[in-house]
């Protein structure tokens, strides 16, 4: 047994098009971006499953089915539960009876629609896989990450675990699963965070309620969403940023229509447009969280400033980056 | 020949649902609201066609095919041209060779999507019809008003002249014309003005361009718009304000999607929602102009304040009011 530490990372995810509609069988496009979670793991002789999140400022350990809080908020056990599940799967797979230390350092805003929980799970699984010589395939890492996600989101689509594990860009459809999209051009993406945390579950429920009340109207909106994704895949392959921007604006309008935008999201979208972005939209569940914009490369800094002046925090992001990987 | 003066008025119009989509054969709902244009007319012995707009602060006269500006901006001739057309039609119909004075006093914001030009034309035609004993039917007044509108808007739908002339509430479809909607309940409507003038023509052109670029997406959006109108007619008949509000929000999202909203419109929409409105949307061409909201009666004043705090001007409006009529 090695006593070294292993560091692995996994990327954040951005949904470019199709969030919410994806719940109803329509396609969505998701990409990995160059904000990552870093997870450092090491063996412990005391059999504890010790977890520390530097970004959330909480730490504690599981031992004999009990959780002991070391520092931070009382919700730590709930937050750490998916990590515990990942660790136990890996310990089981490696057939080793040891404790582990798991230290999480994240660049990804939490509860903002960027898939940070899946990134934590995928990076943890990847790091432990290496540390414990568990020899899981990437496909198995994906499954473990997906299991952990189910503890957090109930019935997630699997988009977040797929992007966190495999990286790149995918088109996802409920009945057909994932298809990678081959993107050869760079896409200058800006992510703006409203700073408002929101519950994915309640927003999904809100859409369901509107759809039940107005099925015909909402189904036509979903159809428009499907056609946006078809056009967007083509534009991504061709590197046509102007078309991508226009499609984002159309998609944002449809998301407003089904009630998942938010005053602050709309404000940041307009701030991006004012600074010269080709287009912008909310990303993820909406109701707060993040928006994204596409802009000419030379205007990216202006778009970031404009979003920040409008009360958001923003950063530029590369898309189509590598999935979970060992860092050291 | 009488030497009295005659005062007639005509109401402003609000499109509740379906603007822009109506250009592509989809239905729209328009209502008359209790903001009116008042036009006072009298016979003149000097054969001049003298026009004064109290609201625009311009005056001048046509004589022997020439326009003479008396006071105000140089664009007066262009603004008065449709009124001249109305006056000449009425003089022709009455077979009288006299001059007339036409004095316009309007409560309707200009170039804000409330159909003020049609209201001026309908009130002028109605007043002159009475003054000159021209004995035009209401249908003929409508046609004269429509002719005047064509000078301003190129190929208008005829919604504005219909509402200005007949009042009430209508559902309009390009191929089928107007159908009155029988509304028995009162609908507490709020109109908020961004104060931004915009060109209907360029917004219609913008939608055309997006539809040409993305026909399948935009056609699905139009279909959703059509279904909104069907539901809305039912809700208007049933007095279901909550449903009307929700449908407004969906409609606003679709209008955002086709690129005709504006930062300030979205801001006023959110301001209305924050104050407890059931729903809100832009009305008319968009890109500025007005938005409307529906709220519980007891919250109307709060919604108005909220819109004004957000930088708009707002007033509450009764819908479904009388069309062009003689006032004295």
């Amino acid at each position: 047994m090695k006593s070294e530490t292993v560091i692995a990372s996994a990327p954040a995810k951005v949904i470019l098009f199709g969030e919410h509609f994806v719940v109803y069988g329509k396609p969505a496009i998701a990409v990995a971006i160059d904000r990552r979670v870093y997870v450092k793991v090491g063996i412990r002789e005391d059999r504890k499953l010790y977890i520390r999140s530097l970004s959330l400022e909480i730490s504690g350990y599981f031992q004999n089915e009990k959780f002991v809080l070391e520092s931070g908020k009382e919700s730590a056990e709930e937050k750490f539960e998916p990590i515990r599940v990942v660790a136990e799967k890996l310990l089981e797979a490696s057939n080793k009876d040891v404790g582990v230390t798991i230290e999480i350092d994240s660049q990804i805003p939490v509860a903002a629609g960027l898939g940070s929980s899946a990134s934590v799970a995928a990076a943890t699984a990847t790091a432990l896989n290496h540390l414990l010589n568990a020899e899981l395939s990437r496909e198995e890492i994906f499954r473990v990450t997906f299991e952990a996600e189910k503890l957090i989101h109930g019935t997630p689509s699997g988009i977040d675990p797929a992007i966190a594990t495999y990286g790149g860009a995918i088109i996802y459809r409920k009945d057909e699963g994932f298809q990678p999209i081959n993107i050869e051009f760079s896409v200058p993406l800006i992510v703006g965070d409203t700073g408002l945390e929101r519950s994915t579950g309640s927003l999904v429920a809100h859409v369901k309620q509107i759809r039940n009340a107005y099925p015909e109207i909402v189904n036509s909106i979903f159809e428009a969403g499907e056609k946006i994704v078809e056009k967007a895949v083509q534009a991504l392959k061709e590197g046509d940023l102007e078309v991508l921007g226009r499609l984002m604006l159309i998609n944002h309008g449809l998301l407003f229509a089904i009630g998942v935008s938010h005053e602050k999201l709309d404000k940041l979208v307009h701030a991006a447009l004012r600074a010269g972005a080709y287009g912008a939209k909310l990303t993820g569940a909406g109701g707060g969280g993040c928006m994204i914009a596409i802009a000419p490369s030379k205007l990216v800094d202006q778009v970031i400033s404009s979003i920040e002046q409008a009360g958001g925090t923003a950063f530029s992001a590369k898309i189509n980056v590598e999935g979970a990987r060992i860092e050291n």
Side-chain angles (χ1 to χ4, degrees), chain A residues 11-15 33 35 108-109 111-117 119 160 191 193 198 283-284 290 292 315:
Chain A
K13 162 225 66 171
V14 159
I15 297 189
I33 61 167
R35 289 264 157 156
I108 309 173
L114 302 184
S116 72
S117 60
S119 307
D160 292 11
V191 180
D193 190 351
R198 75 285 176 282
T283 181
C290 289
I292 51 175
F315 58 88

mmCIF file with all atom_site columns, all heavy atoms in Angstrom, chain A residues 11-15 33 35 108-109 111-117 119 160 191 193 198 283-284 290 292 315:
data_model
loop_
_atom_site.group_PDB
_atom_site.id
_atom_site.type_symbol
_atom_site.label_atom_id
_atom_site.label_alt_id
_atom_site.label_comp_id
_atom_site.label_asym_id
_atom_site.label_entity_id
_atom_site.label_seq_id
_atom_site.pdbx_PDB_ins_code
_atom_site.Cartn_x
_atom_site.Cartn_y
_atom_site.Cartn_z
_atom_site.occupancy
_atom_site.B_iso_or_equiv
_atom_site.pdbx_formal_charge
_atom_site.auth_seq_id
_atom_site.auth_comp_id
_atom_site.auth_asym_id
_atom_site.auth_atom_id
_atom_site.pdbx_PDB_model_num
ATOM 1   N N   . PRO A 1 11  ? -13.932 18.756 -14.376 1.00 0.00 ? 11  PRO A N   1
ATOM 2   C CA  . PRO A 1 11  ? -14.382 20.081 -14.822 1.00 0.00 ? 11  PRO A CA  1
ATOM 3   C C   . PRO A 1 11  ? -15.819 20.402 -14.399 1.00 0.00 ? 11  PRO A C   1
ATOM 4   O O   . PRO A 1 11  ? -16.613 19.509 -14.116 1.00 0.00 ? 11  PRO A O   1
ATOM 5   C CB  . PRO A 1 11  ? -14.313 19.964 -16.347 1.00 0.00 ? 11  PRO A CB  1
ATOM 6   C CG  . PRO A 1 11  ? -14.648 18.526 -16.611 1.00 0.00 ? 11  PRO A CG  1
ATOM 7   C CD  . PRO A 1 11  ? -14.028 17.752 -15.458 1.00 0.00 ? 11  PRO A CD  1
ATOM 8   N N   . ALA A 1 12  ? -16.129 21.692 -14.420 1.00 0.00 ? 12  ALA A N   1
ATOM 9   C CA  . ALA A 1 12  ? -17.512 22.144 -14.267 1.00 0.00 ? 12  ALA A CA  1
ATOM 10  C C   . ALA A 1 12  ? -18.231 21.963 -15.604 1.00 0.00 ? 12  ALA A C   1
ATOM 11  O O   . ALA A 1 12  ? -17.600 21.754 -16.645 1.00 0.00 ? 12  ALA A O   1
ATOM 12  C CB  . ALA A 1 12  ? -17.551 23.608 -13.872 1.00 0.00 ? 12  ALA A CB  1
ATOM 13  N N   . LYS A 1 13  ? -19.535 22.051 -15.524 1.00 0.00 ? 13  LYS A N   1
ATOM 14  C CA  . LYS A 1 13  ? -20.358 21.850 -16.707 1.00 0.00 ? 13  LYS A CA  1
ATOM 15  C C   . LYS A 1 13  ? -21.190 23.098 -16.968 1.00 0.00 ? 13  LYS A C   1
ATOM 16  O O   . LYS A 1 13  ? -21.618 23.783 -16.033 1.00 0.00 ? 13  LYS A O   1
ATOM 17  C CB  . LYS A 1 13  ? -21.307 20.682 -16.450 1.00 0.00 ? 13  LYS A CB  1
ATOM 18  C CG  . LYS A 1 13  ? -22.487 20.607 -17.384 1.00 0.00 ? 13  LYS A CG  1
ATOM 19  C CD  . LYS A 1 13  ? -23.786 20.322 -16.611 1.00 0.00 ? 13  LYS A CD  1
ATOM 20  C CE  . LYS A 1 13  ? -24.175 21.480 -15.694 1.00 0.00 ? 13  LYS A CE  1
ATOM 21  N NZ  . LYS A 1 13  ? -25.494 21.369 -15.082 1.00 0.00 ? 13  LYS A NZ  1
ATOM 22  N N   . VAL A 1 14  ? -21.400 23.404 -18.224 1.00 0.00 ? 14  VAL A N   1
ATOM 23  C CA  . VAL A 1 14  ? -22.354 24.442 -18.588 1.00 0.00 ? 14  VAL A CA  1
ATOM 24  C C   . VAL A 1 14  ? -23.332 23.859 -19.594 1.00 0.00 ? 14  VAL A C   1
ATOM 25  O O   . VAL A 1 14  ? -22.909 23.207 -20.548 1.00 0.00 ? 14  VAL A O   1
ATOM 26  C CB  . VAL A 1 14  ? -21.639 25.675 -19.195 1.00 0.00 ? 14  VAL A CB  1
ATOM 27  C CG1 . VAL A 1 14  ? -22.591 26.512 -20.038 1.00 0.00 ? 14  VAL A CG1 1
ATOM 28  C CG2 . VAL A 1 14  ? -21.052 26.550 -18.095 1.00 0.00 ? 14  VAL A CG2 1
ATOM 29  N N   . ILE A 1 15  ? -24.619 24.069 -19.375 1.00 0.00 ? 15  ILE A N   1
ATOM 30  C CA  . ILE A 1 15  ? -25.589 23.688 -20.407 1.00 0.00 ? 15  ILE A CA  1
ATOM 31  C C   . ILE A 1 15  ? -25.709 24.855 -21.379 1.00 0.00 ? 15  ILE A C   1
ATOM 32  O O   . ILE A 1 15  ? -26.069 25.962 -20.984 1.00 0.00 ? 15  ILE A O   1
ATOM 33  C CB  . ILE A 1 15  ? -26.959 23.334 -19.806 1.00 0.00 ? 15  ILE A CB  1
ATOM 34  C CG1 . ILE A 1 15  ? -26.804 22.101 -18.898 1.00 0.00 ? 15  ILE A CG1 1
ATOM 35  C CG2 . ILE A 1 15  ? -27.971 23.032 -20.927 1.00 0.00 ? 15  ILE A CG2 1
ATOM 36  C CD1 . ILE A 1 15  ? -28.097 21.505 -18.404 1.00 0.00 ? 15  ILE A CD1 1
ATOM 37  N N   . ILE A 1 33  ? -16.222 23.041 -18.902 1.00 0.00 ? 33  ILE A N   1
ATOM 38  C CA  . ILE A 1 33  ? -15.470 24.304 -18.944 1.00 0.00 ? 33  ILE A CA  1
ATOM 39  C C   . ILE A 1 33  ? -14.265 24.230 -18.001 1.00 0.00 ? 33  ILE A C   1
ATOM 40  O O   . ILE A 1 33  ? -14.213 23.368 -17.111 1.00 0.00 ? 33  ILE A O   1
ATOM 41  C CB  . ILE A 1 33  ? -16.350 25.523 -18.582 1.00 0.00 ? 33  ILE A CB  1
ATOM 42  C CG1 . ILE A 1 33  ? -16.910 25.405 -17.153 1.00 0.00 ? 33  ILE A CG1 1
ATOM 43  C CG2 . ILE A 1 33  ? -17.470 25.694 -19.605 1.00 0.00 ? 33  ILE A CG2 1
ATOM 44  C CD1 . ILE A 1 33  ? -17.512 26.705 -16.633 1.00 0.00 ? 33  ILE A CD1 1
ATOM 45  N N   . ARG A 1 35  ? -13.159 25.436 -15.392 1.00 0.00 ? 35  ARG A N   1
ATOM 46  C CA  . ARG A 1 35  ? -13.162 25.621 -13.936 1.00 0.00 ? 35  ARG A CA  1
ATOM 47  C C   . ARG A 1 35  ? -13.232 24.218 -13.374 1.00 0.00 ? 35  ARG A C   1
ATOM 48  O O   . ARG A 1 35  ? -14.101 23.437 -13.782 1.00 0.00 ? 35  ARG A O   1
ATOM 49  C CB  . ARG A 1 35  ? -14.400 26.394 -13.473 1.00 0.00 ? 35  ARG A CB  1
ATOM 50  C CG  . ARG A 1 35  ? -14.379 27.820 -13.854 1.00 0.00 ? 35  ARG A CG  1
ATOM 51  C CD  . ARG A 1 35  ? -13.848 28.625 -12.684 1.00 0.00 ? 35  ARG A CD  1
ATOM 52  N NE  . ARG A 1 35  ? -13.298 29.882 -13.134 1.00 0.00 ? 35  ARG A NE  1
ATOM 53  C CZ  . ARG A 1 35  ? -13.189 30.953 -12.362 1.00 0.00 ? 35  ARG A CZ  1
ATOM 54  N NH1 . ARG A 1 35  ? -13.632 30.915 -11.121 1.00 0.00 ? 35  ARG A NH1 1
ATOM 55  N NH2 . ARG A 1 35  ? -12.639 32.038 -12.826 1.00 0.00 ? 35  ARG A NH2 1
ATOM 56  N N   . ILE A 1 108 ? -15.476 26.014 -8.522  1.00 0.00 ? 108 ILE A N   1
ATOM 57  C CA  . ILE A 1 108 ? -16.803 26.053 -9.138  1.00 0.00 ? 108 ILE A CA  1
ATOM 58  C C   . ILE A 1 108 ? -17.838 26.577 -8.145  1.00 0.00 ? 108 ILE A C   1
ATOM 59  O O   . ILE A 1 108 ? -17.970 26.041 -7.049  1.00 0.00 ? 108 ILE A O   1
ATOM 60  C CB  . ILE A 1 108 ? -17.225 24.638 -9.610  1.00 0.00 ? 108 ILE A CB  1
ATOM 61  C CG1 . ILE A 1 108 ? -16.109 24.002 -10.463 1.00 0.00 ? 108 ILE A CG1 1
ATOM 62  C CG2 . ILE A 1 108 ? -18.549 24.703 -10.362 1.00 0.00 ? 108 ILE A CG2 1
ATOM 63  C CD1 . ILE A 1 108 ? -16.366 22.553 -10.832 1.00 0.00 ? 108 ILE A CD1 1
ATOM 64  N N   . PRO A 1 109 ? -18.580 27.641 -8.510  1.00 0.00 ? 109 PRO A N   1
ATOM 65  C CA  . PRO A 1 109 ? -19.646 28.116 -7.620  1.00 0.00 ? 109 PRO A CA  1
ATOM 66  C C   . PRO A 1 109 ? -20.652 26.989 -7.338  1.00 0.00 ? 109 PRO A C   1
ATOM 67  O O   . PRO A 1 109 ? -20.950 26.191 -8.218  1.00 0.00 ? 109 PRO A O   1
ATOM 68  C CB  . PRO A 1 109 ? -20.318 29.233 -8.420  1.00 0.00 ? 109 PRO A CB  1
ATOM 69  C CG  . PRO A 1 109 ? -19.354 29.617 -9.487  1.00 0.00 ? 109 PRO A CG  1
ATOM 70  C CD  . PRO A 1 109 ? -18.508 28.421 -9.760  1.00 0.00 ? 109 PRO A CD  1
ATOM 71  N N   . ALA A 1 111 ? -24.307 25.292 -6.248  1.00 0.00 ? 111 ALA A N   1
ATOM 72  C CA  . ALA A 1 111 ? -25.747 25.493 -6.466  1.00 0.00 ? 111 ALA A CA  1
ATOM 73  C C   . ALA A 1 111 ? -26.038 26.580 -7.481  1.00 0.00 ? 111 ALA A C   1
ATOM 74  O O   . ALA A 1 111 ? -26.960 27.356 -7.359  1.00 0.00 ? 111 ALA A O   1
ATOM 75  C CB  . ALA A 1 111 ? -26.477 25.792 -5.145  1.00 0.00 ? 111 ALA A CB  1
ATOM 76  N N   . ALA A 1 112 ? -25.195 26.647 -8.504  1.00 0.00 ? 112 ALA A N   1
ATOM 77  C CA  . ALA A 1 112 ? -25.338 27.689 -9.523  1.00 0.00 ? 112 ALA A CA  1
ATOM 78  C C   . ALA A 1 112 ? -25.572 27.092 -10.904 1.00 0.00 ? 112 ALA A C   1
ATOM 79  O O   . ALA A 1 112 ? -25.518 27.781 -11.906 1.00 0.00 ? 112 ALA A O   1
ATOM 80  C CB  . ALA A 1 112 ? -24.094 28.566 -9.539  1.00 0.00 ? 112 ALA A CB  1
ATOM 81  N N   . GLY A 1 113 ? -25.789 25.792 -10.951 1.00 0.00 ? 113 GLY A N   1
ATOM 82  C CA  . GLY A 1 113 ? -26.079 25.162 -12.236 1.00 0.00 ? 113 GLY A CA  1
ATOM 83  C C   . GLY A 1 113 ? -24.841 24.734 -12.997 1.00 0.00 ? 113 GLY A C   1
ATOM 84  O O   . GLY A 1 113 ? -24.923 24.405 -14.176 1.00 0.00 ? 113 GLY A O   1
ATOM 85  N N   . LEU A 1 114 ? -23.695 24.735 -12.323 1.00 0.00 ? 114 LEU A N   1
ATOM 86  C CA  . LEU A 1 114 ? -22.456 24.368 -13.020 1.00 0.00 ? 114 LEU A CA  1
ATOM 87  C C   . LEU A 1 114 ? -22.003 22.948 -12.697 1.00 0.00 ? 114 LEU A C   1
ATOM 88  O O   . LEU A 1 114 ? -20.905 22.536 -13.078 1.00 0.00 ? 114 LEU A O   1
ATOM 89  C CB  . LEU A 1 114 ? -21.351 25.376 -12.693 1.00 0.00 ? 114 LEU A CB  1
ATOM 90  C CG  . LEU A 1 114 ? -21.665 26.842 -13.036 1.00 0.00 ? 114 LEU A CG  1
ATOM 91  C CD1 . LEU A 1 114 ? -20.462 27.729 -12.754 1.00 0.00 ? 114 LEU A CD1 1
ATOM 92  C CD2 . LEU A 1 114 ? -22.093 27.000 -14.499 1.00 0.00 ? 114 LEU A CD2 1
ATOM 93  N N   . GLY A 1 115 ? -22.845 22.209 -11.999 1.00 0.00 ? 115 GLY A N   1
ATOM 94  C CA  . GLY A 1 115 ? -22.575 20.788 -11.786 1.00 0.00 ? 115 GLY A CA  1
ATOM 95  C C   . GLY A 1 115 ? -21.464 20.500 -10.811 1.00 0.00 ? 115 GLY A C   1
ATOM 96  O O   . GLY A 1 115 ? -20.772 19.488 -10.914 1.00 0.00 ? 115 GLY A O   1
ATOM 97  N N   . SER A 1 116 ? -21.279 21.395 -9.825  1.00 0.00 ? 116 SER A N   1
ATOM 98  C CA  . SER A 1 116 ? -20.129 21.222 -8.929  1.00 0.00 ? 116 SER A CA  1
ATOM 99  C C   . SER A 1 116 ? -20.187 19.904 -8.151  1.00 0.00 ? 116 SER A C   1
ATOM 100 O O   . SER A 1 116 ? -19.150 19.285 -7.920  1.00 0.00 ? 116 SER A O   1
ATOM 101 C CB  . SER A 1 116 ? -20.006 22.400 -7.966  1.00 0.00 ? 116 SER A CB  1
ATOM 102 O OG  . SER A 1 116 ? -21.022 22.367 -6.993  1.00 0.00 ? 116 SER A OG  1
ATOM 103 N N   . SER A 1 117 ? -21.377 19.454 -7.783  1.00 0.00 ? 117 SER A N   1
ATOM 104 C CA  . SER A 1 117 ? -21.436 18.217 -6.986  1.00 0.00 ? 117 SER A CA  1
ATOM 105 C C   . SER A 1 117 ? -20.957 17.009 -7.791  1.00 0.00 ? 117 SER A C   1
ATOM 106 O O   . SER A 1 117 ? -20.250 16.143 -7.280  1.00 0.00 ? 117 SER A O   1
ATOM 107 C CB  . SER A 1 117 ? -22.843 17.985 -6.426  1.00 0.00 ? 117 SER A CB  1
ATOM 108 O OG  . SER A 1 117 ? -23.778 17.883 -7.478  1.00 0.00 ? 117 SER A OG  1
ATOM 109 N N   . SER A 1 119 ? -18.818 17.182 -10.216 1.00 0.00 ? 119 SER A N   1
ATOM 110 C CA  . SER A 1 119 ? -17.370 17.346 -10.400 1.00 0.00 ? 119 SER A CA  1
ATOM 111 C C   . SER A 1 119 ? -16.624 16.832 -9.173  1.00 0.00 ? 119 SER A C   1
ATOM 112 O O   . SER A 1 119 ? -15.597 16.169 -9.299  1.00 0.00 ? 119 SER A O   1
ATOM 113 C CB  . SER A 1 119 ? -17.028 18.817 -10.633 1.00 0.00 ? 119 SER A CB  1
ATOM 114 O OG  . SER A 1 119 ? -17.809 19.338 -11.683 1.00 0.00 ? 119 SER A OG  1
ATOM 115 N N   . ASP A 1 160 ? -24.564 15.940 -15.770 1.00 0.00 ? 160 ASP A N   1
ATOM 116 C CA  . ASP A 1 160 ? -23.463 16.442 -14.945 1.00 0.00 ? 160 ASP A CA  1
ATOM 117 C C   . ASP A 1 160 ? -22.373 15.379 -14.752 1.00 0.00 ? 160 ASP A C   1
ATOM 118 O O   . ASP A 1 160 ? -21.191 15.662 -14.971 1.00 0.00 ? 160 ASP A O   1
ATOM 119 C CB  . ASP A 1 160 ? -23.986 16.931 -13.583 1.00 0.00 ? 160 ASP A CB  1
ATOM 120 C CG  . ASP A 1 160 ? -24.851 18.181 -13.705 1.00 0.00 ? 160 ASP A CG  1
ATOM 121 O OD1 . ASP A 1 160 ? -25.225 18.549 -14.837 1.00 0.00 ? 160 ASP A OD1 1
ATOM 122 O OD2 . ASP A 1 160 ? -25.149 18.792 -12.667 1.00 0.00 ? 160 ASP A OD2 1
ATOM 123 N N   . VAL A 1 191 ? -19.280 33.270 -18.238 1.00 0.00 ? 191 VAL A N   1
ATOM 124 C CA  . VAL A 1 191 ? -20.254 32.773 -17.266 1.00 0.00 ? 191 VAL A CA  1
ATOM 125 C C   . VAL A 1 191 ? -20.478 33.865 -16.242 1.00 0.00 ? 191 VAL A C   1
ATOM 126 O O   . VAL A 1 191 ? -19.514 34.398 -15.675 1.00 0.00 ? 191 VAL A O   1
ATOM 127 C CB  . VAL A 1 191 ? -19.753 31.489 -16.570 1.00 0.00 ? 191 VAL A CB  1
ATOM 128 C CG1 . VAL A 1 191 ? -20.786 30.988 -15.565 1.00 0.00 ? 191 VAL A CG1 1
ATOM 129 C CG2 . VAL A 1 191 ? -19.426 30.409 -17.595 1.00 0.00 ? 191 VAL A CG2 1
ATOM 130 N N   . ASP A 1 193 ? -22.537 34.887 -12.719 1.00 0.00 ? 193 ASP A N   1
ATOM 131 C CA  . ASP A 1 193 ? -23.235 34.275 -11.586 1.00 0.00 ? 193 ASP A CA  1
ATOM 132 C C   . ASP A 1 193 ? -24.071 35.351 -10.884 1.00 0.00 ? 193 ASP A C   1
ATOM 133 O O   . ASP A 1 193 ? -23.540 36.385 -10.494 1.00 0.00 ? 193 ASP A O   1
ATOM 134 C CB  . ASP A 1 193 ? -22.193 33.684 -10.628 1.00 0.00 ? 193 ASP A CB  1
ATOM 135 C CG  . ASP A 1 193 ? -22.815 32.811 -9.550  1.00 0.00 ? 193 ASP A CG  1
ATOM 136 O OD1 . ASP A 1 193 ? -24.057 32.788 -9.428  1.00 0.00 ? 193 ASP A OD1 1
ATOM 137 O OD2 . ASP A 1 193 ? -22.048 32.153 -8.825  1.00 0.00 ? 193 ASP A OD2 1
ATOM 138 N N   . ARG A 1 198 ? -30.502 28.541 -5.797  1.00 0.00 ? 198 ARG A N   1
ATOM 139 C CA  . ARG A 1 198 ? -31.891 28.155 -6.051  1.00 0.00 ? 198 ARG A CA  1
ATOM 140 C C   . ARG A 1 198 ? -31.988 26.648 -6.051  1.00 0.00 ? 198 ARG A C   1
ATOM 141 O O   . ARG A 1 198 ? -31.008 25.949 -6.132  1.00 0.00 ? 198 ARG A O   1
ATOM 142 C CB  . ARG A 1 198 ? -32.380 28.749 -7.373  1.00 0.00 ? 198 ARG A CB  1
ATOM 143 C CG  . ARG A 1 198 ? -31.830 28.041 -8.569  1.00 0.00 ? 198 ARG A CG  1
ATOM 144 C CD  . ARG A 1 198 ? -30.357 28.369 -8.849  1.00 0.00 ? 198 ARG A CD  1
ATOM 145 N NE  . ARG A 1 198 ? -29.831 27.593 -9.954  1.00 0.00 ? 198 ARG A NE  1
ATOM 146 C CZ  . ARG A 1 198 ? -29.466 26.322 -9.870  1.00 0.00 ? 198 ARG A CZ  1
ATOM 147 N NH1 . ARG A 1 198 ? -29.597 25.656 -8.750  1.00 0.00 ? 198 ARG A NH1 1
ATOM 148 N NH2 . ARG A 1 198 ? -28.993 25.694 -10.915 1.00 0.00 ? 198 ARG A NH2 1
ATOM 149 N N   . THR A 1 283 ? -28.369 29.606 -17.710 1.00 0.00 ? 283 THR A N   1
ATOM 150 C CA  . THR A 1 283 ? -27.928 28.233 -17.913 1.00 0.00 ? 283 THR A CA  1
ATOM 151 C C   . THR A 1 283 ? -28.293 27.401 -16.696 1.00 0.00 ? 283 THR A C   1
ATOM 152 O O   . THR A 1 283 ? -28.215 27.886 -15.565 1.00 0.00 ? 283 THR A O   1
ATOM 153 C CB  . THR A 1 283 ? -26.413 28.159 -18.186 1.00 0.00 ? 283 THR A CB  1
ATOM 154 O OG1 . THR A 1 283 ? -26.046 26.787 -18.410 1.00 0.00 ? 283 THR A OG1 1
ATOM 155 C CG2 . THR A 1 283 ? -25.592 28.699 -17.030 1.00 0.00 ? 283 THR A CG2 1
ATOM 156 N N   . GLY A 1 284 ? -28.738 26.185 -16.933 1.00 0.00 ? 284 GLY A N   1
ATOM 157 C CA  . GLY A 1 284 ? -29.122 25.316 -15.821 1.00 0.00 ? 284 GLY A CA  1
ATOM 158 C C   . GLY A 1 284 ? -30.568 25.534 -15.443 1.00 0.00 ? 284 GLY A C   1
ATOM 159 O O   . GLY A 1 284 ? -31.401 25.877 -16.274 1.00 0.00 ? 284 GLY A O   1
ATOM 160 N N   . CYS A 1 290 ? -26.613 30.837 -12.672 1.00 0.00 ? 290 CYS A N   1
ATOM 161 C CA  . CYS A 1 290 ? -25.745 31.475 -13.665 1.00 0.00 ? 290 CYS A CA  1
ATOM 162 C C   . CYS A 1 290 ? -26.419 31.741 -15.002 1.00 0.00 ? 290 CYS A C   1
ATOM 163 O O   . CYS A 1 290 ? -27.412 31.119 -15.352 1.00 0.00 ? 290 CYS A O   1
ATOM 164 C CB  . CYS A 1 290 ? -24.527 30.593 -13.921 1.00 0.00 ? 290 CYS A CB  1
ATOM 165 S SG  . CYS A 1 290 ? -23.368 30.564 -12.544 1.00 0.00 ? 290 CYS A SG  1
ATOM 166 N N   . ILE A 1 292 ? -24.970 32.611 -19.204 1.00 0.00 ? 292 ILE A N   1
ATOM 167 C CA  . ILE A 1 292 ? -23.787 32.530 -20.051 1.00 0.00 ? 292 ILE A CA  1
ATOM 168 C C   . ILE A 1 292 ? -23.959 33.492 -21.214 1.00 0.00 ? 292 ILE A C   1
ATOM 169 O O   . ILE A 1 292 ? -25.085 33.861 -21.557 1.00 0.00 ? 292 ILE A O   1
ATOM 170 C CB  . ILE A 1 292 ? -23.561 31.108 -20.600 1.00 0.00 ? 292 ILE A CB  1
ATOM 171 C CG1 . ILE A 1 292 ? -24.844 30.553 -21.246 1.00 0.00 ? 292 ILE A CG1 1
ATOM 172 C CG2 . ILE A 1 292 ? -23.061 30.182 -19.511 1.00 0.00 ? 292 ILE A CG2 1
ATOM 173 C CD1 . ILE A 1 292 ? -24.676 29.203 -21.927 1.00 0.00 ? 292 ILE A CD1 1
ATOM 174 N N   . PHE A 1 315 ? -16.767 35.327 -15.178 1.00 0.00 ? 315 PHE A N   1
ATOM 175 C CA  . PHE A 1 315 ? -15.445 34.885 -15.622 1.00 0.00 ? 315 PHE A CA  1
ATOM 176 C C   . PHE A 1 315 ? -15.565 34.339 -17.036 1.00 0.00 ? 315 PHE A C   1
ATOM 177 O O   . PHE A 1 315 ? -16.638 33.935 -17.459 1.00 0.00 ? 315 PHE A O   1
ATOM 178 C CB  . PHE A 1 315 ? -14.875 33.827 -14.661 1.00 0.00 ? 315 PHE A CB  1
ATOM 179 C CG  . PHE A 1 315 ? -15.735 32.592 -14.485 1.00 0.00 ? 315 PHE A CG  1
ATOM 180 C CD1 . PHE A 1 315 ? -15.600 31.490 -15.338 1.00 0.00 ? 315 PHE A CD1 1
ATOM 181 C CD2 . PHE A 1 315 ? -16.670 32.515 -13.449 1.00 0.00 ? 315 PHE A CD2 1
ATOM 182 C CE1 . PHE A 1 315 ? -16.378 30.349 -15.160 1.00 0.00 ? 315 PHE A CE1 1
ATOM 183 C CE2 . PHE A 1 315 ? -17.457 31.374 -13.271 1.00 0.00 ? 315 PHE A CE2 1
ATOM 184 C CZ  . PHE A 1 315 ? -17.306 30.294 -14.127 1.00 0.00 ? 315 PHE A CZ  1
#
